[in-house]
Amino acid sequence: SRKHFENQLKIYGKQLVISLIRTTGSHEGPMASMFQEQITRLNNSNVQYLSFDLNRELGYFSAMNKLDLLWSKVSDTMEQYGVFCGQTKDGIHFEHVKNQQGVARTNCRDNLDRTNFVQTHLFVQAFIMQLAALGINFNEFPTGNFFKLSIKR
């Protein structure tokens, strides 16, 4: 795992590892513990770990409230990492606006639905950050319904 993360750090920068593996009540618990132990053994300040048992949390909140809870735990780190964005003034020449310093990665044992569910939410939040970096203002963005985004220039 050390070589893997060293390579990932070279390519993508800092890593926020969000484990969606079930921590209790299933056969995934030991795997979650071993995964966390491997990240801890890296002893690398550029690799952060967050365990987020999505299935357990969904039992207590609606899905969107759950994702808001996750975002509250990762938003400071994600804002530190920033987003890459640029624009063209004339459709030809690219102007670099902002660079990204790291990524969030999610994993689970066997369910792409969990990973895709969380990654979609992280994408929407990153998209909002990109719009802000480009100076595009918008009123309250409903994270639960991407199509209701209203952009005001």
Side-chain angles (χ1 to χ4, degrees):
S1 63
R2 182 171 304 280
K3 283 185 180 182
H4 171 73
F5 276 101
E6 287 173 357
N7 187 43
Q8 295 295 298
L9 289 165
K10 287 177 188 173
I11 296 170
Y12 301 109
K14 296 177 180 181
Q15 306 275 305
L16 171 60
V17 179
I18 304 170
S19 175
L20 305 175
I21 299 173
R22 293 178 183 162
T23 56
T24 59
S26 84
H27 58 283
E28 294 181 21
M31 184 187 310
S33 296
M34 289 189 308
F35 186 57
Q36 183 173 6
E37 182 180 318
Q38 289 300 312
I39 299 296
T40 301
R41 282 185 183 174
L42 291 174
N43 194 27
N44 188 324
S45 63
N46 292 317
V47 179
Q48 295 181 18
Y49 177 86
L50 173 67
S51 176
F52 194 77
D53 187 337
L54 187 65
N55 288 322
R56 185 182 71 217
E57 298 290 343
L58 282 176
Y60 302 110
F61 299 105
S62 75
M64 293 317 296
N65 286 341
K66 173 60 178 160
L67 290 178
D68 289 340
L69 175 62
L70 173 61
W71 183 249
S72 72
K73 293 181 179 194
V74 302
S75 61
D76 288 343
T77 299
M78 296 304 295
E79 288 179 19
Q80 288 173 7
Y81 291 175
V83 292
F84 174 83
C85 74
Q87 60 188 0
T88 62
K89 296 283 186 193
D90 57 9
I92 298 172
H93 298 94
F94 181 79
E95 176 187 5
H96 178 256
V97 175
K98 195 168 185 180
N99 206 14
Q100 184 171 332
Q101 305 298 316
V103 296
R105 49 184 290 165
T106 55
N107 74 295
C108 63
R109 183 181 160 267
D110 60 1
N111 190 330
L112 285 176
D113 291 343
R114 283 185 264 177
T115 301
N116 290 338
F117 185 61
V118 170
Q119 281 292 333
T120 298
H121 188 70
L122 295 176
F123 154 75
V124 170
Q125 298 301 329
F127 181 61
I128 291 169
M129 290 169 31
Q130 286 176 318
L131 291 174
L134 292 171
I136 299 172
N137 298 318
F138 51 91
N139 292 327
E140 293 184 26
F141 180 78
T143 59
N145 191 339
F146 185 78
F147 297 104
K148 289 185 179 177
L149 173 63
S150 71
I151 301 172
K152 296 183 179 181
R153 286 195 163 203

Short mmCIF file of all heavy atoms in Angstrom, two decimals, residues 120-145:
data_model
loop_
_atom_site.label_atom_id
_atom_site.label_comp_id
_atom_site.label_asym_id
_atom_site.label_seq_id
_atom_site.Cartn_x
_atom_site.Cartn_y
_atom_site.Cartn_z
N THR A 120 -20.75 11.36 -6.47
CA THR A 120 -21.62 12.34 -7.14
C THR A 120 -21.82 13.56 -6.25
O THR A 120 -21.76 14.70 -6.72
CB THR A 120 -22.97 11.70 -7.50
OG1 THR A 120 -22.74 10.62 -8.41
CG2 THR A 120 -23.91 12.71 -8.14
N HIS A 121 -22.01 13.34 -4.98
CA HIS A 121 -22.19 14.47 -4.06
C HIS A 121 -20.90 15.29 -3.99
O HIS A 121 -20.95 16.53 -4.01
CB HIS A 121 -22.59 13.97 -2.67
CG HIS A 121 -22.96 15.07 -1.74
ND1 HIS A 121 -24.10 15.81 -1.89
CD2 HIS A 121 -22.34 15.58 -0.65
CE1 HIS A 121 -24.17 16.73 -0.93
NE2 HIS A 121 -23.11 16.59 -0.16
N LEU A 122 -19.75 14.63 -3.92
CA LEU A 122 -18.48 15.35 -3.88
C LEU A 122 -18.27 16.14 -5.18
O LEU A 122 -17.76 17.27 -5.16
CB LEU A 122 -17.32 14.40 -3.63
CG LEU A 122 -17.32 13.69 -2.28
CD1 LEU A 122 -16.16 12.70 -2.19
CD2 LEU A 122 -17.28 14.67 -1.13
N PHE A 123 -18.67 15.54 -6.31
CA PHE A 123 -18.56 16.25 -7.59
C PHE A 123 -19.38 17.53 -7.57
O PHE A 123 -18.91 18.59 -8.00
CB PHE A 123 -19.01 15.35 -8.74
CG PHE A 123 -19.52 16.15 -9.92
CD1 PHE A 123 -18.62 16.81 -10.75
CD2 PHE A 123 -20.87 16.27 -10.17
CE1 PHE A 123 -19.08 17.57 -11.83
CE2 PHE A 123 -21.34 17.02 -11.23
CZ PHE A 123 -20.44 17.68 -12.06
N VAL A 124 -20.62 17.44 -7.11
CA VAL A 124 -21.48 18.63 -7.08
C VAL A 124 -20.84 19.71 -6.23
O VAL A 124 -20.81 20.89 -6.61
CB VAL A 124 -22.90 18.27 -6.59
CG1 VAL A 124 -23.72 19.52 -6.32
CG2 VAL A 124 -23.60 17.39 -7.62
N GLN A 125 -20.30 19.34 -5.08
CA GLN A 125 -19.65 20.33 -4.22
C GLN A 125 -18.42 20.94 -4.90
O GLN A 125 -18.18 22.14 -4.80
CB GLN A 125 -19.27 19.70 -2.88
CG GLN A 125 -20.45 19.19 -2.07
CD GLN A 125 -21.46 20.29 -1.74
OE1 GLN A 125 -21.13 21.45 -1.57
NE2 GLN A 125 -22.72 19.91 -1.66
N ALA A 126 -17.64 20.12 -5.60
CA ALA A 126 -16.47 20.62 -6.32
C ALA A 126 -16.90 21.55 -7.46
O ALA A 126 -16.26 22.58 -7.71
CB ALA A 126 -15.63 19.46 -6.86
N PHE A 127 -17.99 21.20 -8.11
CA PHE A 127 -18.52 22.04 -9.19
C PHE A 127 -18.92 23.41 -8.65
O PHE A 127 -18.63 24.45 -9.26
CB PHE A 127 -19.71 21.34 -9.84
CG PHE A 127 -20.32 22.11 -10.98
CD1 PHE A 127 -19.58 22.42 -12.11
CD2 PHE A 127 -21.65 22.49 -10.92
CE1 PHE A 127 -20.16 23.12 -13.17
CE2 PHE A 127 -22.23 23.19 -11.96
CZ PHE A 127 -21.48 23.51 -13.09
N ILE A 128 -19.54 23.43 -7.49
CA ILE A 128 -19.91 24.70 -6.86
C ILE A 128 -18.65 25.52 -6.58
O ILE A 128 -18.62 26.73 -6.80
CB ILE A 128 -20.71 24.45 -5.56
CG1 ILE A 128 -22.08 23.86 -5.89
CG2 ILE A 128 -20.85 25.72 -4.74
CD1 ILE A 128 -22.83 23.33 -4.68
N MET A 129 -17.59 24.86 -6.10
CA MET A 129 -16.33 25.56 -5.83
C MET A 129 -15.72 26.09 -7.12
O MET A 129 -15.16 27.20 -7.15
CB MET A 129 -15.36 24.63 -5.09
CG MET A 129 -15.80 24.33 -3.67
SD MET A 129 -14.94 23.00 -2.75
CE MET A 129 -13.30 23.00 -3.35
N GLN A 130 -15.82 25.34 -8.22
CA GLN A 130 -15.30 25.81 -9.50
C GLN A 130 -16.06 27.04 -9.98
O GLN A 130 -15.46 28.00 -10.45
CB GLN A 130 -15.38 24.71 -10.57
CG GLN A 130 -14.34 23.64 -10.38
CD GLN A 130 -14.49 22.53 -11.39
OE1 GLN A 130 -15.61 22.09 -11.67
NE2 GLN A 130 -13.39 22.05 -11.92
N LEU A 131 -17.38 27.00 -9.87
CA LEU A 131 -18.18 28.16 -10.27
C LEU A 131 -17.78 29.39 -9.47
O LEU A 131 -17.60 30.48 -10.04
CB LEU A 131 -19.68 27.87 -10.08
CG LEU A 131 -20.29 26.83 -11.02
CD1 LEU A 131 -21.73 26.57 -10.62
CD2 LEU A 131 -20.21 27.29 -12.46
N ALA A 132 -17.60 29.21 -8.18
CA ALA A 132 -17.21 30.34 -7.33
C ALA A 132 -15.83 30.88 -7.74
O ALA A 132 -15.63 32.09 -7.78
CB ALA A 132 -17.21 29.92 -5.86
N ALA A 133 -14.89 29.98 -8.06
CA ALA A 133 -13.56 30.42 -8.48
C ALA A 133 -13.60 31.21 -9.77
O ALA A 133 -12.76 32.07 -10.02
CB ALA A 133 -12.63 29.20 -8.63
N LEU A 134 -14.59 30.93 -10.60
CA LEU A 134 -14.75 31.66 -11.86
C LEU A 134 -15.60 32.91 -11.70
O LEU A 134 -15.89 33.61 -12.66
CB LEU A 134 -15.38 30.74 -12.92
CG LEU A 134 -14.50 29.59 -13.37
CD1 LEU A 134 -15.28 28.61 -14.23
CD2 LEU A 134 -13.27 30.10 -14.11
N GLY A 135 -16.02 33.18 -10.46
CA GLY A 135 -16.81 34.38 -10.19
C GLY A 135 -18.27 34.25 -10.56
O GLY A 135 -18.96 35.25 -10.73
N ILE A 136 -18.75 33.04 -10.68
CA ILE A 136 -20.16 32.83 -11.00
C ILE A 136 -20.92 32.71 -9.69
O ILE A 136 -20.65 31.82 -8.89
CB ILE A 136 -20.35 31.56 -11.86
CG1 ILE A 136 -19.59 31.73 -13.18
CG2 ILE A 136 -21.83 31.30 -12.10
CD1 ILE A 136 -19.55 30.49 -14.03
N ASN A 137 -21.84 33.62 -9.47
CA ASN A 137 -22.62 33.64 -8.24
C ASN A 137 -23.93 32.89 -8.44
O ASN A 137 -24.52 32.90 -9.52
CB ASN A 137 -22.92 35.08 -7.82
CG ASN A 137 -21.65 35.84 -7.53
OD1 ASN A 137 -20.74 35.31 -6.90
ND2 ASN A 137 -21.57 37.07 -8.00
N PHE A 138 -24.38 32.29 -7.42
CA PHE A 138 -25.65 31.58 -7.50
C PHE A 138 -26.31 31.62 -6.13
O PHE A 138 -25.65 31.74 -5.11
CB PHE A 138 -25.46 30.13 -7.95
CG PHE A 138 -24.43 29.40 -7.14
CD1 PHE A 138 -24.78 28.69 -6.00
CD2 PHE A 138 -23.09 29.44 -7.51
CE1 PHE A 138 -23.83 28.04 -5.25
CE2 PHE A 138 -22.13 28.77 -6.76
CZ PHE A 138 -22.50 28.08 -5.64
N ASN A 139 -27.63 31.56 -6.14
CA ASN A 139 -28.37 31.48 -4.88
C ASN A 139 -28.32 30.05 -4.37
O ASN A 139 -27.78 29.18 -5.04
CB ASN A 139 -29.81 31.95 -5.07
CG ASN A 139 -29.86 33.43 -5.37
OD1 ASN A 139 -29.04 34.20 -4.87
ND2 ASN A 139 -30.79 33.83 -6.21
N GLU A 140 -28.85 29.82 -3.25
CA GLU A 140 -28.76 28.50 -2.60
C GLU A 140 -28.88 27.37 -3.61
O GLU A 140 -29.86 27.25 -4.29
CB GLU A 140 -29.85 28.37 -1.55
CG GLU A 140 -29.63 29.32 -0.39
CD GLU A 140 -30.66 29.13 0.69
OE1 GLU A 140 -31.21 28.02 0.82
OE2 GLU A 140 -30.91 30.10 1.41
N PHE A 141 -27.82 26.58 -3.65
CA PHE A 141 -27.75 25.46 -4.58
C PHE A 141 -28.29 24.22 -3.90
O PHE A 141 -27.73 23.75 -2.92
CB PHE A 141 -26.30 25.24 -4.99
CG PHE A 141 -26.11 24.09 -5.94
CD1 PHE A 141 -26.41 24.22 -7.27
CD2 PHE A 141 -25.63 22.89 -5.49
CE1 PHE A 141 -26.23 23.19 -8.15
CE2 PHE A 141 -25.44 21.83 -6.36
CZ PHE A 141 -25.74 21.99 -7.70
N PRO A 142 -29.41 23.67 -4.37
CA PRO A 142 -29.99 22.48 -3.74
C PRO A 142 -29.20 21.23 -4.12
O PRO A 142 -29.31 20.73 -5.22
CB PRO A 142 -31.40 22.43 -4.29
CG PRO A 142 -31.30 23.14 -5.61
CD PRO A 142 -30.19 24.15 -5.48
N THR A 143 -28.37 20.75 -3.20
CA THR A 143 -27.51 19.61 -3.52
C THR A 143 -28.30 18.37 -3.88
O THR A 143 -27.79 17.48 -4.54
CB THR A 143 -26.58 19.28 -2.33
OG1 THR A 143 -27.37 18.99 -1.19
CG2 THR A 143 -25.63 20.41 -2.07
N GLY A 144 -29.55 18.31 -3.47
CA GLY A 144 -30.35 17.12 -3.77
C GLY A 144 -30.90 17.11 -5.17
O GLY A 144 -31.32 16.09 -5.66
N ASN A 145 -30.94 18.25 -5.84
CA ASN A 145 -31.49 18.29 -7.18
C ASN A 145 -30.60 19.14 -8.06
O ASN A 145 -30.76 20.35 -8.16
CB ASN A 145 -32.92 18.82 -7.17
CG ASN A 145 -33.61 18.63 -8.51
OD1 ASN A 145 -32.96 18.49 -9.54
ND2 ASN A 145 -34.91 18.63 -8.49
#
